[in-house]
Amino acid sequence: MQARFHDAWATLPASLQSALEPIMSANDFPAMLTADQVKAVKSISGLDDDALAFALLPLAAACALTPVSHFKVGAIARGISGNLYFGANMEFSGAPLQQTIHAEQCAVTHAWLRNEASLVSITVNYTPCGHCRQFMNELNSGTGLHIHLPGRPASTLGQYLPDSFGPKDLDITTLLMDPVDHGYKIAETDALTQAALEGANHSHAPYSNSHSGVALETADGTIYTGRYAENAAFNPSLPPLQAALIMTNLAGKDCGAIRRAVLAEGSQPMLTQWDATQATLAALGCSDVKCVTF
Ligand SMILES: [Zn+2]
């Protein structure tokens, strides 16, 4: 089992430990449970869907990177497929606080990057901040997304975000997590470049049309891809680098050991990710960053 889970694991009830052991003992545990695994874990542990999501929160929070706050937040997103996706807050020393990722953004983006079609619920160990409520209002699940918090009755995003402003107010019909393929092409065949392009092709940028993707190569040669996710309110947009860092971190890899990075975006975009991508990667110790355009 990955060392980061050891402390949280020790707090789990024995029945849940025995149910999760075959899944989490793998060193490459991808911080998610498939629908079949969820079914098996529920049957062995006796937990229902909601109780299982709550019980998994300490494990999700164990994925947090909190050099600034030391405040660990965990989130579990449940997809309509039945899969469960971990999320945790992520901060980066040396980068502005605006580059921080919240646990809800992490779990949502994790599900999206694994091509989950839509979310049913999100379970979090602390109440979602206003920024995350707005971020989740971009999702194709709309205000019907269920929000589960410890000690509170199950509720919906609509109840946590009354009088909401969202994509529909701007006549946007393709929502976050809806399948898209923008069809951009780049001739260069380098795998990292093509991964960044794939991120851009599936990115959500209906407001600026400045689609972009980032691909990161870790020390062992594995590639993690991120897609840009815009928001109707603009500010809770999630840059493509953050999405790629989410996948790197959740895979158990060190975000401070990125060997090479590629940003793919348009040749004359209305807005560019280049400066922010380069600066945040520099804070993480990665200077081999390239921008390729389509
Ligand atoms: Zn938040």
Side-chain angles (χ1 to χ4, degrees):
M1 183 185 301
Q2 295 165 21
R4 59 181 172 172
F5 294 122
H6 288 172
D7 289 350
W9 180 260
T11 69
L12 300 183
S15 58
L16 184 57
Q17 283 184 346
S18 56
L20 286 173
E21 208 277 333
I23 301 163
M24 292 203 53
S25 58
N27 249 332
D28 60 353
F29 170 65
M32 67 164 287
L33 301 182
T34 64
D36 284 346
Q37 289 172 331
V38 169
K39 211 165 146 190
V41 169
K42 277 164 57 186
S43 133
I44 299 168
S45 66
L47 298 173
D48 66 16
D49 277 318
D50 294 343
L52 175 60
F54 277 116
L56 292 172
L57 283 178
L59 295 168
C63 299
L65 301 178
T66 57
V68 182
S69 70
H70 307 291
F71 185 84
K72 292 181 186 300
V73 186
I76 301 288
R78 183 188 303 147
I80 53 164
S81 67
N83 292 356
L84 296 181
Y85 303 90
F86 287 26
N89 55 327
M90 295 168 58
E91 302 158 1
F92 310 104
S93 299
L97 284 182
Q98 290 92 323
Q99 305 302 324
T100 299
I101 301 160
H102 289 194
E104 298 90 326
Q105 292 181 298
C106 184
V108 165
T109 305
H110 184 192
W112 181 40
L113 280 155
R114 291 195 186 276
N115 298 319
E116 181 67 54
S118 185
L119 294 185
V120 175
S121 68
I122 188 154
T123 304
V124 199
N125 58 355
Y126 294 99
T127 187
C129 73
H131 175 89
C132 287
R133 296 176 196 200
Q134 182 65 44
F135 182 81
M136 293 188 287
N137 196 36
E138 191 72 18
L139 289 166
N140 60 6
S141 40
T143 50
L145 178 71
H146 288 263
I147 308 240
H148 298 160
L149 297 172
R152 313 268 181 87
S155 198
T156 64
L157 179 62
Q159 288 167 289
Y160 280 101
L161 193 67
D163 296 325
S164 63
F165 177 84
K168 286 170 185 159
D169 295 304
L170 297 173
D171 297 326
I172 297 298
T173 51
T174 302
L175 305 174
L176 184 57
M177 290 186 83
D178 281 343
V180 288
D181 186 350
H182 306 300
Y184 300 118
K185 293 196 172 19
I186 292 176
E188 195 177 329
T189 56
D190 167 57
L192 200 60
T193 297
Q194 286 299 320
L197 175 67
E198 193 215 330
N201 274 329
H202 296 99
S203 65
H204 175 73
Y207 307 102
S208 70
N209 275 313
S210 302
H211 302 110
S212 59
V214 163
L216 305 174
E217 185 183 276
T218 50
D220 64 0
T222 313
I223 291 173
Y224 297 97
T225 303
R227 308 167 183 163
Y228 178 38
E230 285 189 343
N231 188 280
F234 286 20
N235 264 341
S237 299
L238 193 81
L241 172 62
Q242 266 69 357
L245 289 170
I246 285 169
M247 299 311 283
T248 306
N249 176 43
L250 289 176
K253 301 293 175 64
D254 181 2
C255 291
I258 292 159
R259 193 158 66 181
R260 212 159 59 92
V262 172
L263 162 70
E265 61 181 11
S267 55
Q268 288 187 310
M270 178 182 284
L271 50 90
T272 173
Q273 302 293 334
W274 174 240
D275 291 336
T277 301
Q278 216 182 8
T280 302
L281 281 167
L284 290 167
C286 174
S287 55
D288 187 350
V289 189
K290 195 168 83 166
C291 181
V292 294
T293 57
F294 44 77

